[in-house]
Amino acid sequence: MGEPAVSWQAILSTDPVAIAIPVFVLSIIIELVAVRMGWRGDYDWRDTGTSLAMGLGNTISGALLAGSVTGLALWLWQHRLFDIPVAWWSFALCFLVDDLAYYWIHRAGHRIRWAWAAHVIHHSSQHYNLSTALRQTWTGLFGLTFIIKLPLFFIGFPLELVAFCGGLNLIYQFWIHTEVIGKMPRWFEAVMNTPSHHRVHHGTNPRYLDRNYAGVFIVWDKLFGTFEAERADEPPRYGIIRNLGTFNPLWVAVHEWVGIARDVARARSLKTALVAAFGPPGALSGETADALRAQWQAETAPPASPPPAAVPAE
């Protein structure tokens, strides 16, 4: 007998993120107490307040703007290639494919300045704790990276299934924003994204820049060459290359968009304007992640050994 459709409908009609919010709040309180008792980590009430404000704004903006994306997704699903039913196997497949899409969305959010303007908010804290997970963008729709997920609907995954899997992905990522947890068991670190892996992602150390984009499965980074392990002798420094120096949520939300507008207005050619908007972050100043990493590698490379002295002929 097949699985009862009503059970899946009941499950997919729920919002897993909304259900998880009390757990988020309780976890933050527990982590805060642990840090105050001497566990590794750091909290600043001003920074945490900004993160909570960003999370609230993200919820409001998402509710206001989600309709346009839903409409486009529904249109694509109506022209779908396959009729994918809702079942345990399609749920597992959707969760896997959705996480792969997230990897590329996240990678684009770091490599394209237009998308970075929406994503940089999440990296703007110089602290790393569970409240940082709630520091989310107010302008995610304008970053346009949602386009990467649209093929899932064209393939035939139902909208409610994709939304549910995306919610679970978001919930998973909450717990990896902490310094309280060190390394997980080796087998877990090999496959899954962990606090250790994600601390690297939030690090501004040249070694760590633009690494570990994974949502749930770290295997994507290992497969596509963007993995970097956390080193005990090099703790991550958190924030962005040029930290904001303010806890004003409005400026946190829009500062990079303002920067793009200024750089485009100053551009003296169409090429420069396009680089300012759609090139890698830091392209105009020469401070891209690749450039900073290359400079660091050149400065830390061991000196070349002198060539052996020539032996005189007898």
Side-chain angles (χ1 to χ4, degrees):
M1 294 180 62
E3 300 175 39
V6 66
S7 64
W8 280 108
Q9 290 175 357
I11 292 172
L12 298 182
S13 64
T14 61
D15 181 354
V17 177
I19 295 173
I21 288 177
V23 179
F24 291 169
V25 174
L26 179 60
S27 299
I28 291 173
I29 294 173
I30 293 173
E31 182 189 45
L32 177 57
V33 172
V35 170
R36 291 289 183 263
M37 293 177 62
W39 288 65
R40 178 184 174 189
D42 190 22
Y43 265 90
D44 182 317
W45 69 267
R46 298 168 299 173
D47 179 78
T48 298
T50 300
S51 294
L52 295 177
M54 301 310 298
L56 177 62
N58 173 264
T59 301
I60 296 172
S61 65
L64 294 174
L65 301 174
S68 56
V69 177
T70 301
L72 180 56
L74 180 60
W75 180 84
L76 285 170
W77 185 78
Q78 289 173 340
H79 296 81
R80 59 193 179 276
L81 297 176
F82 306 101
D83 284 311
I84 299 179
V86 177
W88 70 266
W89 64 266
S90 59
F91 168 78
L93 181 60
C94 183
F95 188 83
L96 183 67
V97 176
D98 177 79
D99 191 54
L100 175 59
Y102 175 84
Y103 169 87
W104 288 106
I105 287 172
H106 199 180
R107 185 165 176 169
H110 281 258
R111 305 298 292 180
I112 302 170
R113 191 184 183 191
W114 188 269
W116 174 244
H119 182 62
V120 64
I121 287 82
H122 183 58
H123 287 262
S124 59
S125 174
Q126 292 178 255
H127 302 270
Y128 192 76
N129 51 56
L130 291 176
S131 73
T132 307
L134 305 181
R135 183 178 288 230
Q136 298 292 332
T137 181
W138 296 357
T139 59
L141 179 67
F142 303 105
L144 302 179
T145 53
F146 68 87
I147 295 172
I148 296 173
K149 190 178 284 194
L150 292 179
L152 273 70
F153 306 107
F154 184 59
I155 291 170
F157 287 106
L159 274 68
E160 63 273 18
L161 183 58
V162 176
F164 190 80
C165 289
L168 294 181
N169 194 302
L170 188 63
I171 291 171
Y172 180 90
Q173 292 187 53
F174 174 78
W175 78 279
I176 62 178
H177 290 84
T178 185
E179 292 189 286
V180 171
I181 300 174
K183 292 273 190 177
M184 301 297 291
R186 183 176 298 180
W187 65 267
F188 195 86
E189 295 274 350
V191 178
M192 308 298 292
N193 200 6
T194 66
S196 177
H197 295 327
H198 205 59
R199 285 192 290 268
V200 166
H201 177 70
H202 276 257
T204 60
N205 317 44
R207 181 194 301 276
Y208 295 154
L209 283 175
D210 282 8
R211 291 292 185 259
N212 298 2
Y213 298 113
V216 174
F217 300 110
I218 198 66
V219 292
W220 305 127
D221 286 286
K222 295 181 178 181
L223 181 62
F224 298 116
T226 52
F227 174 74
E228 186 72 41
E230 183 182 30
R231 294 172 58 106
D233 61 348
E234 187 173 350
R237 299 187 299 272
Y238 304 114
I240 51 181
I241 298 301
R242 297 183 180 180
N243 288 306
L244 298 180
T246 180
F247 297 103
N248 185 329
L250 181 59
W251 183 243
V252 172
V254 304
H255 74 275
E256 188 67 12
W257 293 112
V258 173
I260 290 176
R262 288 173 176 170
D263 288 340
V264 169
R266 295 177 186 143
R268 298 189 177 183
S269 68
L270 176 60
K271 179 180 179 181
T272 302
L274 290 174
V275 170
F278 303 108
L284 294 184
S285 64
E287 294 181 318
T288 65
D290 291 341
L292 292 172
R293 184 178 297 105
Q295 179 182 354
W296 165 75
Q297 289 173 334
E299 292 173 350
T300 57
S305 300
V311 178
E314 295 182 0

